[in-house]
Amino acid sequence: LSDLAVVKIDAQGLTTLPWADSDKVRIAEWVLAIGNPFSFNQTVTLGIVSAVGRQGAQLGAYGQMIQTDAAINPGNSGGALVNARGELVGINTMIYSRTGGSEGLGFAIPANTAQRIMKELIANGAVNWGTLLDVEYGDQAINTRVARQYGITAESLVMVFGLSTSSPAYRAGLRADDFILKIGRAH
């Protein structure tokens, strides 16, 4: 669901890109999208962060995305979204487009989410996505501003990605993009 993978490279002396705290990314911050659009290797485009914590039906199971107007096209997926300090703020993931080309609506998985997914992939070989009674769910980082707004103290929550309309959870009012804060036994 995250469209991320970990690749081990047996090499010495490689320099890694520093990770930014993606919770500190600000709207209108300058970013560079690096990728391989249409097989044009090492392409870099410039833009700004248009929104943080973006989610919605258009993004499907993805939530809390960084939106940018830096040109992202097919082939940019998996490339770096880098801030002016040369830090990785996100992983370019998708575009929203009527034509299939860049229309200024590019999305990146925030660096903090990517780090959590990377650690889980290394530790377990898979990310703990799953289903429970026809409910698709997974761990989702929460934007610190949103968390404060709702009084949430956890760093991540369980997010509902989708569910069957015939499931008990749906009949009880659970919907896609809901966050599950607590599970208890019904009496």
Side-chain angles (χ1 to χ4, degrees):
L1 290 173
S2 66
D3 198 25
L4 293 176
V6 174
V7 178
K8 181 180 179 183
I9 300 173
D10 291 321
Q12 301 295 321
L14 299 177
T15 303
T16 60
L17 192 61
W19 293 80
D21 180 350
S22 57
D23 286 341
K24 295 181 180 176
V25 171
R26 301 288 177 241
I27 294 171
E29 182 176 342
W30 289 99
V31 289
L32 299 172
I34 303 170
N36 186 32
F38 305 108
S39 298
F40 289 103
N41 293 332
Q42 300 173 354
T43 296
V44 179
T45 56
L46 173 68
I48 62 167
V49 172
S50 304
V52 293
R54 181 70 79 194
Q55 58 188 19
Q58 306 94 321
L59 301 178
Y62 298 106
Q64 304 294 325
M65 300 287 277
I66 296 171
Q67 181 182 332
T68 181
D69 71 343
I72 294 178
N73 288 288
N76 272 101
S77 292
L81 187 67
V82 180
N83 64 19
R85 293 175 299 286
E87 301 167 325
L88 181 72
V89 296
I91 305 291
N92 302 326
T93 303
M94 63 183 292
I95 59 173
Y96 186 77
S97 171
R98 292 187 175 128
T99 64
S102 177
E103 294 182 22
L105 291 168
F107 297 92
I109 295 173
N112 294 356
T113 302
Q115 276 186 306
R116 278 197 348 277
I117 291 169
M118 177 188 71
K119 289 174 184 173
E120 192 165 342
L121 285 171
I122 291 169
N124 304 321
V127 178
N128 190 17
W129 310 103
T131 60
L132 177 64
L133 298 174
D134 296 324
V135 177
E136 298 174 29
Y137 63 91
D139 182 51
Q140 180 67 49
I142 185 161
N143 181 288
T144 52
R145 287 179 295 225
V146 173
R148 278 195 302 269
Q149 179 181 353
Y150 292 102
I152 299 168
T153 57
E155 291 180 12
S156 64
L157 301 171
V158 172
M159 181 178 181
V160 175
F161 297 131
L163 68 162
S164 168
T165 56
S166 63
S167 72
Y170 185 87
R171 287 193 303 273
L174 193 64
R175 298 294 183 262
D177 297 328
D178 282 352
F179 286 100
I180 298 172
L181 302 174
K182 181 179 177 184
I183 295 177
R185 184 175 287 181
H187 296 282

